[in-house]
Amino acid sequence: MIRLYLKLPRLKEPKAPYLALVFGFIIVILSVLSPVQASGEQIFIAADSQLVESVETFQFRSPLEHKRALKLAKTLRCPQCQNQNLIESNSPVAKDLRLKVYQMINAGSTDQEVIEFMTSRFGDFVLYQPKFIPQTYVLWLAPFFILLLFGLLGIRSIRSNMREDKL
């Protein structure tokens, strides 16, 4: 019987926890900064094939306006369902709002005018990506502060463990 022994390189013990912490931060930061957004069309692929039919019954003047209305309705949250956009929701409120989006697009309103109408009626809650204003600073900045807090606690924990090992 032949035995083969492999000698793997070892990292010095004090550096290993720091490397793990650095790689963990890199992964977390990349996941936070990923380009996937709630308004992206990839997120709603499963629901689109079934629920677009209710919007397609409206007579748009051009296919461009039709696509614009669908995209806009996907970026607006249903006020009743709260976890679905206007396209996915079957609630009566969502149906009324889809009709309103259709009417405003056919009347020549811009996307910003439609969004302003919806936010004036339902507040910033209908936006999947709220504006960066003083009322939403906590919403936007809290994840970064929490990440920083866990990073500092992790470094503190590693340093205290290293001090205990030296004793």
Side-chain angles (χ1 to χ4, degrees):
M1 175 153 84
I2 301 173
R3 292 186 183 178
L4 181 63
Y5 292 99
L6 296 175
K7 189 173 184 180
L8 298 173
R10 289 183 157 207
L11 293 175
K12 293 182 181 179
E13 292 302 320
K15 292 183 181 178
Y18 287 113
L19 288 176
L21 187 63
V22 168
F23 286 124
F25 277 126
I26 290 172
I27 290 170
V28 169
I29 288 172
L30 289 177
S31 66
V32 168
L33 300 176
S34 69
V36 177
Q37 298 176 356
S39 62
E41 292 187 24
Q42 308 105 317
I43 295 174
F44 302 108
I45 288 176
D48 286 354
S49 61
Q50 299 169 353
L51 299 172
V52 168
E53 296 169 4
S54 62
V55 176
E56 289 179 341
T57 58
F58 300 132
Q59 296 297 317
F60 290 91
R61 290 182 288 186
S62 70
L64 182 63
E65 284 185 352
H66 178 249
K67 286 184 180 183
R68 197 174 114 212
L70 285 177
K71 184 177 178 184
L72 189 57
K74 287 179 185 178
T75 63
L76 297 170
R77 185 188 321 250
C78 174
Q80 184 177 4
C81 302
Q82 300 182 4
N83 63 346
Q84 294 178 323
N85 61 30
L86 295 181
I87 298 294
E88 292 176 334
S89 177
N90 288 326
S91 73
V93 173
K95 289 179 183 180
D96 291 342
L97 292 178
R98 282 194 300 262
L99 176 62
K100 187 64 178 174
V101 168
Y102 159 72
Q103 290 170 343
M104 290 182 78
I105 294 292
N106 262 357
S109 298
T110 64
D111 291 355
Q112 189 60 35
E113 290 172 340
V114 175
I115 290 171
E116 286 175 8
F117 170 79
M118 295 296 180
T119 54
S120 69
R121 187 168 178 191
F122 299 104
D124 287 334
F125 175 76
V126 295
L127 300 175
Y128 275 111
Q129 290 187 343
K131 301 170 189 168
F132 190 69
I133 55 176
Q135 291 86 357
T136 60
Y137 284 166
V138 172
L139 177 69
W140 283 102
L141 299 176
F144 297 110
F145 286 123
I146 291 171
L147 181 65
L148 181 65
L149 176 69
F150 281 121
L152 293 174
L153 290 175
I155 290 172
R156 183 177 172 199
S157 173
I158 290 171
R159 284 185 180 169
S160 68
N161 286 341
M162 288 174 56
R163 284 186 199 132
E164 288 176 7
D165 289 343
K166 288 181 181 179
L167 297 176

